[in-house]
Amino acid sequence: MEAAAITYPPGPRAPALVQTAMYVREPVRALERWAAEHGDLFTIKLASVGRFVFAAAPREIRQIFTADPEHVQAGRAAGQILPIVGPQSVLTLDGQPHHRHRRMMLPPFHGERMSAYAEVMRAATLRAMASWPTHAAFPLHPQLKQVAVEVLLRTVFGITSPARIAAFARRFSDLMDRWSSPLLPMLAFYGVDPIEIAPWLPVARRKRALDRALHAEIAARRGRTDPDATDIFSLLLAARDEHGEPLSPAELRDELVTLMIAGHETSAAALAWAIERILTHPEVEARLREELASITRDGVVDVTAVDKLPYLDGVVRETLRQRPILAFVARRTTVPFEIGDYRVPAGTFLCPAIHLAHRRAEAYPEPDQFRPERFVGKKLDPYAWLPFGGGGRRCLGIAFALFEIKVILATVLAGSRLRLEAGAPLPRTQLGITVAPARGTRVIASAITAAR
Ligand code: HEM
């Protein structure tokens, strides 16, 4: 029997270089424009990379998320971060090795464990708030990033000394500052590892410095089990696969870097958006403050109870719907693959378009309106609300991230009165692969009442 012919969903006709330039300049705008012209399923060509099929409707998103992971691979599509996180990261692995790592990493991220981290998250937020000025504008986003980094170093790495936290935070930011130029990730995407071929580059030196510190930490902690430890590093050290084998030092190194990279920019951007959305919707802020009062005693919020607040949950989910931190996720086919009424060849990128799926009026009437109540008491459709991706590659840190965002938001709201310097909704800006509010989310505090 003859195989069905290869056909791609429709797409722009401009030369690949023009499509690439449009995409690189403003990815979110470009996606919106192509969807307006070609509908919920379209193909674009990125110069020298290949064809990308974007899907915005639940039916095709479901096809991608539920496909056989041997046929539709996510690790193969994550080349741009491989030199940093390494080849043994849950982000860059596929098939059986991915499955093994994911199974060992899931238990520490289980939702029920999160309340153990509530106090660390609250205290890190209060420490940052102690430095915020009153009656003068300051960029909030970098502050939130600093909080997210400290939270990860304490909860994932289990580091408690402020000096060591500062040292690790600096090593990570030094490396990522160097990696954030568009050129290096692009080279990596094409399969060229700049760190490997140019070991004298500052980025390579910084990676070696970070790796030395991580391997020293791993060597010091391997074999030294502490049954009372709650940090994720300790739980990963104790984890065993189905053959009773632990993660090797190289695997641990890659996963620790992965959790740091995957977990701080994303959470900080989500928090910046949540605050931007709240401050531009006074009726939402009022309702949220009223709800938070129900878990506040003598001015102190019981942050272990944030998960019980349905409106706060709605605010966070509606923020991630309207302002998803990643505009899309990517998979790469290893065999010809049927999507919608089309059949694309091996080597095609398939991209559930989070940003577009969240703007479909079928799923979200008046999608441009910020309405947290959309989510209150509603069941979520995983193919229409997908800020954390989906299927067997869905974000491992979802429970951690949602809990952390709620704790930090509750702490900031209870301890301050803020307004946006701009006084109006902020435009988006692309920071690497994340989408954040523009110009650092500048705010003015009229009062900081949290313990200083
Ligand atoms: C609001 C915050 C966050 C957002 C929006 C977010 C979003 C995402 C997305 C879209 C993916 C790709 C999923 C896919 O390809 O289908 C992902 C993967 C991942 N995330 Fe998150 N993330 C967040 C926070 C975190 C945190 C706090 C951690 C850990 C501390 C984390 C760890 C991971 C890991 C390990 C993966 C790879 C999973 C795999 O490939 O099996 N993320 N995240």
Side-chain angles (χ1 to χ4, degrees):
M1 204 177 75
E2 228 177 279
I6 293 293
T7 51
Y8 289 101
R13 299 212 169 161
L17 264 180
V18 176
Q19 296 182 34
T20 311
M22 274 178 72
Y23 174 77
V24 170
R25 212 180 54 217
E26 257 192 294
V28 169
R29 284 265 167 278
L31 289 182
E32 286 176 2
R33 183 169 160 187
W34 290 322
E37 287 167 3
H38 305 286
D40 280 336
L41 192 65
F42 59 88
T43 310
I44 68 158
K45 279 183 260 169
L46 289 190
S48 319
V49 183
R51 283 187 165 84
F52 284 68
V53 172
F54 284 90
R59 175 179 165 230
E60 286 82 22
I61 290 176
R62 179 193 203 110
Q63 283 179 329
I64 300 171
F65 281 157
T66 57
D68 182 335
E70 296 291 346
H71 296 166
V72 168
Q73 299 190 328
R76 255 167 66 100
Q80 75 278 16
I81 195 70
L82 190 124
I84 300 291
V85 297
Q88 314 215 55
S89 150
V90 74
L91 275 174
T92 53
L93 289 167
D94 281 308
Q96 177 52 32
H98 171 260
H99 194 59
R100 170 176 176 265
H101 278 230
R102 198 169 158 103
R103 256 210 332 255
M104 292 168 87
M105 292 172 77
L106 269 173
F109 283 98
H110 198 275
E112 280 161 18
R113 296 201 59 260
M114 295 305 125
S115 57
Y117 304 138
E119 195 40 46
V120 165
M121 292 166 174
R122 194 178 84 93
T125 313
L126 289 176
R127 267 191 294 279
M129 288 175 79
S131 70
W132 295 359
T134 44
H135 308 295
F138 69 98
L140 183 63
H141 190 178
Q143 292 284 313
L144 298 169
K145 216 150 100 174
Q146 186 190 313
V147 173
V149 168
E150 181 180 338
V151 165
L152 285 177
L153 286 170
R154 287 180 185 271
T155 58
V156 172
F157 284 62
I159 303 178
T160 50
S161 132
R164 296 189 66 229
I165 288 175
F168 263 107
R170 203 172 42 250
R171 286 203 176 92
F172 271 105
S173 70
D174 280 355
L175 175 62
M176 292 319 283
D177 287 352
R178 287 286 161 175
W179 189 253
S180 63
S181 81
L183 179 69
L184 297 179
M186 188 71 105
L187 280 173
F189 196 71
Y190 289 119
V192 178
D193 181 345
I195 293 177
E196 192 79 5
I197 60 166
W200 63 89
L201 282 177
V203 68
R205 284 205 302 272
R206 288 173 182 195
K207 184 182 171 208
R208 283 196 296 276
L210 173 66
D211 285 358
R212 268 197 303 275
L214 284 173
H215 278 298
E217 192 73 21
I218 292 167
R221 299 214 2 210
R222 270 186 118 216
R224 198 188 69 196
T225 45
D226 172 1
D228 298 328
T230 57
D231 63 274
I232 288 169
F233 190 171
S234 296
L235 300 175
L236 289 180
L237 281 167
R240 296 290 177 267
D241 66 13
E242 68 271 36
H243 306 296
E245 292 297 324
L247 290 169
S248 70
E251 289 172 323
L252 278 167
R253 178 267 166 215
D254 286 2
E255 295 304 13
L256 289 171
V257 176
T258 296
L259 294 175
M260 203 66 198
I261 302 292
H264 79 277
E265 306 255 4
T266 44
S267 293
L271 274 159
W273 277 126
I275 291 174
E276 187 268 1
R277 296 285 77 196
I278 293 166
L279 299 184
T280 50
H281 294 82
E283 69 294 352
V284 172
E285 180 172 356
R287 194 166 158 192
L288 198 49
R289 286 187 178 279
E290 205 179 296
E291 192 185 57
L292 281 172
S294 70
I295 57 162
T296 307
R297 296 275 168 279
D298 303 325
V300 180
V301 189
D302 173 9
V303 284
T304 57
V306 288
D307 262 345
K308 299 194 185 103
L309 303 182
Y311 192 68
L312 175 60
D313 190 61
V315 168
V316 174
R317 289 181 194 274
E318 176 71 341
T319 299
L320 291 169
R321 176 193 74 80
Q322 233 194 9
R323 297 289 187 270
I325 308 310
L326 286 94
F328 64 90
V329 289
R331 308 283 187 265
R332 200 162 187 196
T333 56
T334 56
V335 294
F337 187 81
E338 266 158 47
I339 177 141
D341 303 327
Y342 305 89
R343 184 176 154 86
V344 297
T348 306
F349 289 88
L350 298 178
C351 304
I354 305 173
H355 175 76
L356 299 175
H358 288 184
R359 290 166 51 86
R360 293 178 83 248
E362 287 89 332
Y364 303 104
E366 297 188 88
D368 290 332
Q369 299 293 315
F370 183 69
R371 287 196 194 132
E373 54 280 7
R374 290 182 206 275
F375 290 102
V376 177
K378 301 274 160 51
K379 210 169 161 287
L380 290 169
D381 174 350
Y383 307 112
W385 188 80
L386 47 144
F388 295 97
R393 304 298 295 228
R394 193 173 80 143
C395 176
L396 240 158
I398 180 166
F400 185 99
L402 290 174
F403 187 70
E404 175 186 30
I405 292 169
K406 289 177 188 177
V407 169
I408 296 176
L409 264 186
T411 309
V412 168
L413 281 177
S416 69
R417 286 277 168 178
L418 303 176
R419 66 189 154 86
L420 286 178
E421 183 191 34
L426 294 172
R428 297 179 171 84
T429 186
Q430 188 84 32
L431 298 176
I433 61 161
T434 59
V435 181
R439 291 180 293 280
T441 319
R442 292 179 66 81
V443 296
I444 300 171
S446 58
I448 309 275
T449 52
R452 292 210 207 216

